[in-house]
Amino acid sequence: MTIETSPSSGPPDPSAYASARAELLERPGLTGRPRRAALARLTDDWLAGLLAEAGAPSSGVALVAVGGYGRGELSPRSDLDVLLLHDGPVAAELPERIWYPVWDTGAKLDHSVRTPAEARAVAAADLKAQLGLLDARHLAGDEALTAALRSAVLTDWRASAPARLPELRELVRERAERHGELSFLLEPDLKEARGGLRDLVALDAVAATWLADAPRDGLEAAALRLADVRDALHLATGRATERLSLQDQDQVAERLGVLDADTLLRQVYEAARTIAYASDVTWRAVDRVLAARSGRGRRAGRPAFRFAGAGRGTGAVARGAVARRPLAEGVVEQDGEAVLAQGARPAADPVLPLRAAAAAAQNGLTVSYATVRRLAAECRPLPVPWPDEARDLLVTLLGAGEAAVPVWEALEAEGLVTGLLPDWERVRCRPQRNAVHRWTVDRHLVETAVRAAAMTRRVARPDLLLVAALLHDIGKGWPGDHSEAGEVIVRDLATRMGFPVEDTETLAVLVRHHLTLVDTATRRDPDDPATVEAITKAVGTLPELELLHALTEADALATGPAAWSGWRASLVDGLVARAAAQLAGGGAAPGEAAPSAHPNAEQERIAVEAARTGGPALSLLARAEGAEPGNGPMGVELTLAVPDRPGLLGTVAGVLALHRLTVRSAGLRELDPVGSGPVLLLTWRVAAEFGELPEAARLRADLRRALDGSLDVSRRLAERDAAAPRRKGIPTPPPLVAVAPAVVSATATVLEVRAHDAPGLLHRIGRALDGAGVRVRTAHVSTLGAEAVDSFYLTDPAGCPLSPGRAGEVAAAVRAALA
């Protein structure tokens, strides 16, 4: 559509433009990008006519669209950003002949009059002005003048990119802090919030530097969705607003033909997440490029290294390439990100996405964009039930706390989360229309797991706490009570994950009753016996009560400031204390945990051999931990029998750490197979840290050397740790070392240790116990995700329980060893 003018009629009539614009906006079937482009063309023609009728010379003057208008699309209430460019004197009245007709229409005009040199100078001083000029588009007049300005501005931008990109990034960060994250706000600003339209401008500016570019998959569709929503918002409100207010959402949804306001918000959130993730990936790429240019990417005077054959666990390095440090089997660190090792085979290793994610989160990294894309494209779905390794890795990922969030976002951006947990799709991007909630349902679940990660020392089963935190609201989006729906869903999911029946039942109880504690504490009389009875009927056991208490607090803290207070915490604590007292008094006192039934034939054989020879006897059994044999981390079942002696547990654990074997579980107990004296039987389940098992003969030899004193395990571990590169890691809760109540065992003192797992952890504990002069009669060691939960049954040399004072000293010694 054009606006007709003639030399005798004067400048184009503003009312004619306004009428044509109104007709265009109401034209049936014209929506979205075509309408924005048509509106821009209509405005182009009108402004070109204004310039011609204003008497502008044929050369040396140009009218230029900049900013959003320069990109050739206009929303119904968009500003008109226009530059009158000239390279010589212009009549003083020329600009006014253009601007006044625009103002007469009521349009908001952002205008300037500058020479090319002035425009470049303003751009050099004002980043926002430079960003607007990057989108400069010729409207009318001297086209060569516009082309010269565009060329000069792009040249300036590319030349100054190393200095200006950090400034742009800071601008993006400050805007996000002011306006929040678009994908979580109930009344989001479509333009200014993180993941909004301004971020798209920043991504285009980065691409214009030629230093980095955003991942483009899905980005255009996300941009179109937000632009369409903004158009509908402008038309529904009749105002140039960017905030999608609650009272406008139904009208906007209706204009777009969307089912309802919730569906609209989900579409907006999905678009915003695509943009925000692309922005994160792009800025990490910018950081790498700028670091490489400044020389920060490597140490001065030293060549870069990479791990040759990374993924085979060799630890060998080769010169001349980027440094690659192994993190886990098939996963290495490169340029501050977790990437696949050269020998990784995603198609044959379905556990690899979780292994990469867990390794990245535990080391404070994220998974690279290319790696996530490859994992999504090549990895097969996990078998059902999941291998043990996959379940442990999910717990390890969640246990990383805040560091898990960007990793989770990367997995979710490529559909890997829904592949692991099909029911996640129903809660993904689901809004919560409650002022108490800060997040969408899915992000609230992740945030609850983050909060729960700080509480893992409070519970004996941190794995169940973290999984329950991730799934406690999984029933939202289904009809009826979301707790009841969630109980059904979590039973299915827990079975898919391979949890045993008793753990599945515990998870179902936690999900079903995740609101019970706070509801009961705040609405019922705490002194009424029925109040406590309601809780004891819901959970049934002390461990379940312990888990429910931690989950309740994590859930409330992740909801928002209004959901948890000192008053609520005190009410819940009081109710839990009453329920715990009733549960503790309602049945027999717990006894010492029994080792697994009777020794099997192989265990009896090596116990007899150890008793007969007076030396160590052992057996090794290798097995695949999860994926196809040869493609995932390998595990070892090690059984060792040794005549009773001090320091055995710590020594053996140290040898395993030397061979980079991670302890998943361990047990120690006494046998007397031939009646000639006690033999200690140690049973271990360990996994190869980088996927390659040590030679059995070498492991046996080192165990024998360590036991006879010819191998100084502690010194060797210290030397290796000193030579290893330091990673920043992640913050974790401090270790908890506590003496259990005497009721737990009548014949021994039980020392409980809960700590973040680390190489050599059990070796340090064993050395501390040995140094304290106590005897470890029985031990029960388990690693749940990245958390160690261990119990040691201790006696004095005479076989009696320790006195309270002595037990406290031993606990302090172990605490010091783990500090």
PDB file of all heavy atoms in Angstrom, residues 310-342:
ATOM      1  N   ALA A 310      41.941 -39.354  25.244  1.00  0.00           N
ATOM      2  CA  ALA A 310      41.015 -39.064  26.333  1.00  0.00           C
ATOM      3  C   ALA A 310      39.788 -39.941  26.167  1.00  0.00           C
ATOM      4  O   ALA A 310      39.293 -40.144  25.086  1.00  0.00           O
ATOM      5  CB  ALA A 310      40.620 -37.593  26.310  1.00  0.00           C
ATOM      6  N   GLY A 311      39.293 -40.443  27.270  1.00  0.00           N
ATOM      7  CA  GLY A 311      38.185 -41.382  27.210  1.00  0.00           C
ATOM      8  C   GLY A 311      38.655 -42.807  27.390  1.00  0.00           C
ATOM      9  O   GLY A 311      37.874 -43.697  27.585  1.00  0.00           O
ATOM     10  N   ARG A 312      39.987 -43.037  27.351  1.00  0.00           N
ATOM     11  CA  ARG A 312      40.509 -44.373  27.628  1.00  0.00           C
ATOM     12  C   ARG A 312      41.124 -44.431  29.017  1.00  0.00           C
ATOM     13  O   ARG A 312      41.661 -45.448  29.418  1.00  0.00           O
ATOM     14  CB  ARG A 312      41.550 -44.757  26.566  1.00  0.00           C
ATOM     15  CG  ARG A 312      40.969 -44.853  25.168  1.00  0.00           C
ATOM     16  CD  ARG A 312      41.950 -45.505  24.203  1.00  0.00           C
ATOM     17  NE  ARG A 312      43.157 -44.718  24.039  1.00  0.00           N
ATOM     18  CZ  ARG A 312      43.289 -43.724  23.165  1.00  0.00           C
ATOM     19  NH1 ARG A 312      42.255 -43.391  22.424  1.00  0.00           N
ATOM     20  NH2 ARG A 312      44.411 -43.058  23.051  1.00  0.00           N
ATOM     21  N   GLY A 313      41.096 -43.264  29.698  1.00  0.00           N
ATOM     22  CA  GLY A 313      41.580 -43.265  31.070  1.00  0.00           C
ATOM     23  C   GLY A 313      43.074 -43.336  31.180  1.00  0.00           C
ATOM     24  O   GLY A 313      43.616 -43.654  32.224  1.00  0.00           O
ATOM     25  N   THR A 314      43.815 -43.029  30.084  1.00  0.00           N
ATOM     26  CA  THR A 314      45.256 -43.189  30.122  1.00  0.00           C
ATOM     27  C   THR A 314      45.942 -42.060  30.853  1.00  0.00           C
ATOM     28  O   THR A 314      46.998 -42.236  31.436  1.00  0.00           O
ATOM     29  CB  THR A 314      45.815 -43.240  28.688  1.00  0.00           C
ATOM     30  OG1 THR A 314      45.523 -41.993  28.050  1.00  0.00           O
ATOM     31  CG2 THR A 314      45.179 -44.374  27.911  1.00  0.00           C
ATOM     32  N   GLY A 315      45.369 -40.845  30.772  1.00  0.00           N
ATOM     33  CA  GLY A 315      46.007 -39.703  31.398  1.00  0.00           C
ATOM     34  C   GLY A 315      47.170 -39.182  30.603  1.00  0.00           C
ATOM     35  O   GLY A 315      47.865 -38.263  31.016  1.00  0.00           O
ATOM     36  N   ALA A 316      47.455 -39.743  29.422  1.00  0.00           N
ATOM     37  CA  ALA A 316      48.560 -39.263  28.598  1.00  0.00           C
ATOM     38  C   ALA A 316      48.205 -37.924  27.997  1.00  0.00           C
ATOM     39  O   ALA A 316      47.047 -37.602  27.781  1.00  0.00           O
ATOM     40  CB  ALA A 316      48.845 -40.271  27.491  1.00  0.00           C
ATOM     41  N   VAL A 317      49.199 -37.092  27.725  1.00  0.00           N
ATOM     42  CA  VAL A 317      48.968 -35.788  27.127  1.00  0.00           C
ATOM     43  C   VAL A 317      49.776 -35.647  25.865  1.00  0.00           C
ATOM     44  O   VAL A 317      50.786 -36.298  25.670  1.00  0.00           O
ATOM     45  CB  VAL A 317      49.335 -34.646  28.105  1.00  0.00           C
ATOM     46  CG1 VAL A 317      48.445 -34.662  29.297  1.00  0.00           C
ATOM     47  CG2 VAL A 317      50.793 -34.715  28.517  1.00  0.00           C
ATOM     48  N   ALA A 318      49.320 -34.805  24.978  1.00  0.00           N
ATOM     49  CA  ALA A 318      50.037 -34.524  23.740  1.00  0.00           C
ATOM     50  C   ALA A 318      50.126 -33.024  23.569  1.00  0.00           C
ATOM     51  O   ALA A 318      49.253 -32.275  24.002  1.00  0.00           O
ATOM     52  CB  ALA A 318      49.307 -35.147  22.547  1.00  0.00           C
ATOM     53  N   ARG A 319      51.186 -32.572  22.919  1.00  0.00           N
ATOM     54  CA  ARG A 319      51.395 -31.150  22.748  1.00  0.00           C
ATOM     55  C   ARG A 319      50.605 -30.622  21.565  1.00  0.00           C
ATOM     56  O   ARG A 319      50.224 -31.344  20.673  1.00  0.00           O
ATOM     57  CB  ARG A 319      52.885 -30.863  22.532  1.00  0.00           C
ATOM     58  CG  ARG A 319      53.750 -31.170  23.750  1.00  0.00           C
ATOM     59  CD  ARG A 319      55.216 -30.865  23.452  1.00  0.00           C
ATOM     60  NE  ARG A 319      56.037 -31.155  24.614  1.00  0.00           N
ATOM     61  CZ  ARG A 319      56.297 -30.273  25.566  1.00  0.00           C
ATOM     62  NH1 ARG A 319      55.798 -29.058  25.477  1.00  0.00           N
ATOM     63  NH2 ARG A 319      57.041 -30.602  26.593  1.00  0.00           N
ATOM     64  N   GLY A 320      50.403 -29.296  21.600  1.00  0.00           N
ATOM     65  CA  GLY A 320      49.945 -28.611  20.404  1.00  0.00           C
ATOM     66  C   GLY A 320      48.455 -28.445  20.276  1.00  0.00           C
ATOM     67  O   GLY A 320      47.979 -27.994  19.255  1.00  0.00           O
ATOM     68  N   ALA A 321      47.657 -28.801  21.271  1.00  0.00           N
ATOM     69  CA  ALA A 321      46.207 -28.642  21.146  1.00  0.00           C
ATOM     70  C   ALA A 321      45.657 -28.068  22.437  1.00  0.00           C
ATOM     71  O   ALA A 321      46.382 -27.822  23.390  1.00  0.00           O
ATOM     72  CB  ALA A 321      45.549 -29.979  20.818  1.00  0.00           C
ATOM     73  N   VAL A 322      44.354 -27.859  22.450  1.00  0.00           N
ATOM     74  CA  VAL A 322      43.704 -27.292  23.623  1.00  0.00           C
ATOM     75  C   VAL A 322      43.762 -28.287  24.778  1.00  0.00           C
ATOM     76  O   VAL A 322      43.642 -29.490  24.587  1.00  0.00           O
ATOM     77  CB  VAL A 322      42.235 -26.956  23.278  1.00  0.00           C
ATOM     78  CG1 VAL A 322      41.519 -26.402  24.495  1.00  0.00           C
ATOM     79  CG2 VAL A 322      42.190 -25.961  22.130  1.00  0.00           C
ATOM     80  N   ALA A 323      43.953 -27.764  25.994  1.00  0.00           N
ATOM     81  CA  ALA A 323      44.019 -28.635  27.170  1.00  0.00           C
ATOM     82  C   ALA A 323      42.701 -29.362  27.364  1.00  0.00           C
ATOM     83  O   ALA A 323      41.638 -28.767  27.280  1.00  0.00           O
ATOM     84  CB  ALA A 323      44.345 -27.802  28.405  1.00  0.00           C
ATOM     85  N   ARG A 324      42.776 -30.659  27.619  1.00  0.00           N
ATOM     86  CA  ARG A 324      41.595 -31.484  27.861  1.00  0.00           C
ATOM     87  C   ARG A 324      41.879 -32.324  29.095  1.00  0.00           C
ATOM     88  O   ARG A 324      42.739 -33.187  29.070  1.00  0.00           O
ATOM     89  CB  ARG A 324      41.302 -32.381  26.645  1.00  0.00           C
ATOM     90  CG  ARG A 324      40.891 -31.596  25.408  1.00  0.00           C
ATOM     91  CD  ARG A 324      40.938 -32.470  24.153  1.00  0.00           C
ATOM     92  NE  ARG A 324      39.955 -33.521  24.147  1.00  0.00           N
ATOM     93  CZ  ARG A 324      38.695 -33.383  23.706  1.00  0.00           C
ATOM     94  NH1 ARG A 324      38.295 -32.213  23.240  1.00  0.00           N
ATOM     95  NH2 ARG A 324      37.859 -34.379  23.716  1.00  0.00           N
ATOM     96  N   ARG A 325      41.133 -32.077  30.151  1.00  0.00           N
ATOM     97  CA  ARG A 325      41.335 -32.791  31.411  1.00  0.00           C
ATOM     98  C   ARG A 325      40.187 -33.765  31.626  1.00  0.00           C
ATOM     99  O   ARG A 325      39.033 -33.383  31.509  1.00  0.00           O
ATOM    100  CB  ARG A 325      41.395 -31.805  32.573  1.00  0.00           C
ATOM    101  CG  ARG A 325      42.536 -30.816  32.482  1.00  0.00           C
ATOM    102  CD  ARG A 325      42.587 -29.923  33.724  1.00  0.00           C
ATOM    103  NE  ARG A 325      43.678 -28.965  33.639  1.00  0.00           N
ATOM    104  CZ  ARG A 325      43.572 -27.748  33.133  1.00  0.00           C
ATOM    105  NH1 ARG A 325      42.395 -27.348  32.659  1.00  0.00           N
ATOM    106  NH2 ARG A 325      44.592 -26.936  33.093  1.00  0.00           N
ATOM    107  N   PRO A 326      40.493 -35.012  31.941  1.00  0.00           N
ATOM    108  CA  PRO A 326      39.411 -35.990  32.114  1.00  0.00           C
ATOM    109  C   PRO A 326      38.554 -35.676  33.336  1.00  0.00           C
ATOM    110  O   PRO A 326      39.046 -35.286  34.385  1.00  0.00           O
ATOM    111  CB  PRO A 326      40.159 -37.323  32.281  1.00  0.00           C
ATOM    112  CG  PRO A 326      41.547 -36.966  32.658  1.00  0.00           C
ATOM    113  CD  PRO A 326      41.830 -35.615  32.112  1.00  0.00           C
ATOM    114  N   LEU A 327      37.244 -35.840  33.173  1.00  0.00           N
ATOM    115  CA  LEU A 327      36.282 -35.663  34.260  1.00  0.00           C
ATOM    116  C   LEU A 327      35.616 -36.983  34.640  1.00  0.00           C
ATOM    117  O   LEU A 327      35.385 -37.257  35.808  1.00  0.00           O
ATOM    118  CB  LEU A 327      35.196 -34.660  33.843  1.00  0.00           C
ATOM    119  CG  LEU A 327      35.642 -33.230  33.526  1.00  0.00           C
ATOM    120  CD1 LEU A 327      34.463 -32.421  32.997  1.00  0.00           C
ATOM    121  CD2 LEU A 327      36.230 -32.567  34.755  1.00  0.00           C
ATOM    122  N   ALA A 328      35.276 -37.770  33.645  1.00  0.00           N
ATOM    123  CA  ALA A 328      34.617 -39.060  33.866  1.00  0.00           C
ATOM    124  C   ALA A 328      34.811 -39.865  32.588  1.00  0.00           C
ATOM    125  O   ALA A 328      35.338 -39.354  31.590  1.00  0.00           O
ATOM    126  CB  ALA A 328      33.135 -38.868  34.174  1.00  0.00           C
ATOM    127  N   GLU A 329      34.378 -41.106  32.602  1.00  0.00           N
ATOM    128  CA  GLU A 329      34.506 -41.930  31.405  1.00  0.00           C
ATOM    129  C   GLU A 329      33.769 -41.278  30.235  1.00  0.00           C
ATOM    130  O   GLU A 329      32.566 -41.034  30.288  1.00  0.00           O
ATOM    131  CB  GLU A 329      33.950 -43.327  31.673  1.00  0.00           C
ATOM    132  CG  GLU A 329      33.764 -44.189  30.440  1.00  0.00           C
ATOM    133  CD  GLU A 329      35.074 -44.489  29.705  1.00  0.00           C
ATOM    134  OE1 GLU A 329      36.161 -44.127  30.211  1.00  0.00           O
ATOM    135  OE2 GLU A 329      35.011 -45.080  28.629  1.00  0.00           O
ATOM    136  N   GLY A 330      34.524 -40.952  29.179  1.00  0.00           N
ATOM    137  CA  GLY A 330      33.938 -40.352  27.986  1.00  0.00           C
ATOM    138  C   GLY A 330      33.728 -38.861  28.066  1.00  0.00           C
ATOM    139  O   GLY A 330      33.184 -38.265  27.133  1.00  0.00           O
ATOM    140  N   VAL A 331      34.152 -38.219  29.160  1.00  0.00           N
ATOM    141  CA  VAL A 331      33.892 -36.795  29.361  1.00  0.00           C
ATOM    142  C   VAL A 331      35.178 -36.106  29.802  1.00  0.00           C
ATOM    143  O   VAL A 331      35.874 -36.591  30.702  1.00  0.00           O
ATOM    144  CB  VAL A 331      32.808 -36.563  30.439  1.00  0.00           C
ATOM    145  CG1 VAL A 331      32.425 -35.088  30.506  1.00  0.00           C
ATOM    146  CG2 VAL A 331      31.583 -37.426  30.172  1.00  0.00           C
ATOM    147  N   VAL A 332      35.498 -34.971  29.168  1.00  0.00           N
ATOM    148  CA  VAL A 332      36.672 -34.192  29.534  1.00  0.00           C
ATOM    149  C   VAL A 332      36.281 -32.725  29.668  1.00  0.00           C
ATOM    150  O   VAL A 332      35.231 -32.296  29.194  1.00  0.00           O
ATOM    151  CB  VAL A 332      37.805 -34.332  28.480  1.00  0.00           C
ATOM    152  CG1 VAL A 332      38.269 -35.771  28.374  1.00  0.00           C
ATOM    153  CG2 VAL A 332      37.355 -33.812  27.115  1.00  0.00           C
ATOM    154  N   GLU A 333      37.146 -31.968  30.324  1.00  0.00           N
ATOM    155  CA  GLU A 333      36.970 -30.518  30.424  1.00  0.00           C
ATOM    156  C   GLU A 333      37.801 -29.842  29.352  1.00  0.00           C
ATOM    157  O   GLU A 333      38.978 -30.156  29.171  1.00  0.00           O
ATOM    158  CB  GLU A 333      37.408 -30.021  31.799  1.00  0.00           C
ATOM    159  CG  GLU A 333      37.328 -28.502  31.940  1.00  0.00           C
ATOM    160  CD  GLU A 333      37.933 -27.995  33.230  1.00  0.00           C
ATOM    161  OE1 GLU A 333      38.267 -28.824  34.100  1.00  0.00           O
ATOM    162  OE2 GLU A 333      38.088 -26.768  33.371  1.00  0.00           O
ATOM    163  N   GLN A 334      37.194 -28.912  28.645  1.00  0.00           N
ATOM    164  CA  GLN A 334      37.908 -28.132  27.636  1.00  0.00           C
ATOM    165  C   GLN A 334      37.326 -26.725  27.620  1.00  0.00           C
ATOM    166  O   GLN A 334      36.105 -26.548  27.498  1.00  0.00           O
ATOM    167  CB  GLN A 334      37.771 -28.761  26.248  1.00  0.00           C
ATOM    168  CG  GLN A 334      38.452 -27.971  25.135  1.00  0.00           C
ATOM    169  CD  GLN A 334      38.288 -28.647  23.785  1.00  0.00           C
ATOM    170  OE1 GLN A 334      38.551 -29.838  23.649  1.00  0.00           O
ATOM    171  NE2 GLN A 334      37.836 -27.890  22.802  1.00  0.00           N
ATOM    172  N   ASP A 335      38.177 -25.732  27.745  1.00  0.00           N
ATOM    173  CA  ASP A 335      37.743 -24.330  27.697  1.00  0.00           C
ATOM    174  C   ASP A 335      36.626 -24.032  28.686  1.00  0.00           C
ATOM    175  O   ASP A 335      35.678 -23.303  28.383  1.00  0.00           O
ATOM    176  CB  ASP A 335      37.283 -23.949  26.285  1.00  0.00           C
ATOM    177  CG  ASP A 335      38.444 -23.879  25.301  1.00  0.00           C
ATOM    178  OD1 ASP A 335      39.564 -23.567  25.746  1.00  0.00           O
ATOM    179  OD2 ASP A 335      38.217 -24.127  24.114  1.00  0.00           O
ATOM    180  N   GLY A 336      36.709 -24.632  29.860  1.00  0.00           N
ATOM    181  CA  GLY A 336      35.718 -24.329  30.878  1.00  0.00           C
ATOM    182  C   GLY A 336      34.378 -24.997  30.693  1.00  0.00           C
ATOM    183  O   GLY A 336      33.406 -24.625  31.359  1.00  0.00           O
ATOM    184  N   GLU A 337      34.289 -25.978  29.803  1.00  0.00           N
ATOM    185  CA  GLU A 337      33.047 -26.711  29.576  1.00  0.00           C
ATOM    186  C   GLU A 337      33.332 -28.209  29.587  1.00  0.00           C
ATOM    187  O   GLU A 337      34.458 -28.644  29.360  1.00  0.00           O
ATOM    188  CB  GLU A 337      32.421 -26.327  28.234  1.00  0.00           C
ATOM    189  CG  GLU A 337      31.983 -24.887  28.139  1.00  0.00           C
ATOM    190  CD  GLU A 337      31.371 -24.570  26.784  1.00  0.00           C
ATOM    191  OE1 GLU A 337      31.861 -25.101  25.762  1.00  0.00           O
ATOM    192  OE2 GLU A 337      30.395 -23.801  26.744  1.00  0.00           O
ATOM    193  N   ALA A 338      32.296 -28.990  29.849  1.00  0.00           N
ATOM    194  CA  ALA A 338      32.395 -30.441  29.722  1.00  0.00           C
ATOM    195  C   ALA A 338      32.073 -30.819  28.276  1.00  0.00           C
ATOM    196  O   ALA A 338      31.040 -30.419  27.743  1.00  0.00           O
ATOM    197  CB  ALA A 338      31.432 -31.140  30.678  1.00  0.00           C
ATOM    198  N   VAL A 339      32.972 -31.570  27.657  1.00  0.00           N
ATOM    199  CA  VAL A 339      32.785 -32.014  26.278  1.00  0.00           C
ATOM    200  C   VAL A 339      33.052 -33.514  26.217  1.00  0.00           C
ATOM    201  O   VAL A 339      33.586 -34.101  27.154  1.00  0.00           O
ATOM    202  CB  VAL A 339      33.724 -31.264  25.302  1.00  0.00           C
ATOM    203  CG1 VAL A 339      33.516 -29.756  25.402  1.00  0.00           C
ATOM    204  CG2 VAL A 339      35.189 -31.606  25.573  1.00  0.00           C
ATOM    205  N   LEU A 340      32.699 -34.115  25.102  1.00  0.00           N
ATOM    206  CA  LEU A 340      32.938 -35.551  24.950  1.00  0.00           C
ATOM    207  C   LEU A 340      34.400 -35.807  24.648  1.00  0.00           C
ATOM    208  O   LEU A 340      35.039 -35.065  23.889  1.00  0.00           O
ATOM    209  CB  LEU A 340      32.065 -36.108  23.829  1.00  0.00           C
ATOM    210  CG  LEU A 340      30.560 -36.102  24.081  1.00  0.00           C
ATOM    211  CD1 LEU A 340      29.825 -36.785  22.938  1.00  0.00           C
ATOM    212  CD2 LEU A 340      30.215 -36.760  25.406  1.00  0.00           C
ATOM    213  N   ALA A 341      34.909 -36.864  25.230  1.00  0.00           N
ATOM    214  CA  ALA A 341      36.269 -37.290  24.932  1.00  0.00           C
ATOM    215  C   ALA A 341      36.342 -37.826  23.508  1.00  0.00           C
ATOM    216  O   ALA A 341      35.326 -38.190  22.902  1.00  0.00           O
ATOM    217  CB  ALA A 341      36.709 -38.356  25.930  1.00  0.00           C
ATOM    218  N   GLN A 342      37.533 -37.874  22.978  1.00  0.00           N
ATOM    219  CA  GLN A 342      37.702 -38.301  21.585  1.00  0.00           C
ATOM    220  C   GLN A 342      37.218 -39.727  21.355  1.00  0.00           C
ATOM    221  O   GLN A 342      36.729 -40.059  20.286  1.00  0.00           O
ATOM    222  CB  GLN A 342      39.164 -38.156  21.183  1.00  0.00           C
ATOM    223  CG  GLN A 342      39.619 -36.707  21.130  1.00  0.00           C
ATOM    224  CD  GLN A 342      41.106 -36.570  20.898  1.00  0.00           C
ATOM    225  OE1 GLN A 342      41.837 -37.554  20.912  1.00  0.00           O
ATOM    226  NE2 GLN A 342      41.566 -35.347  20.692  1.00  0.00           N
TER     227      GLN A 342
END
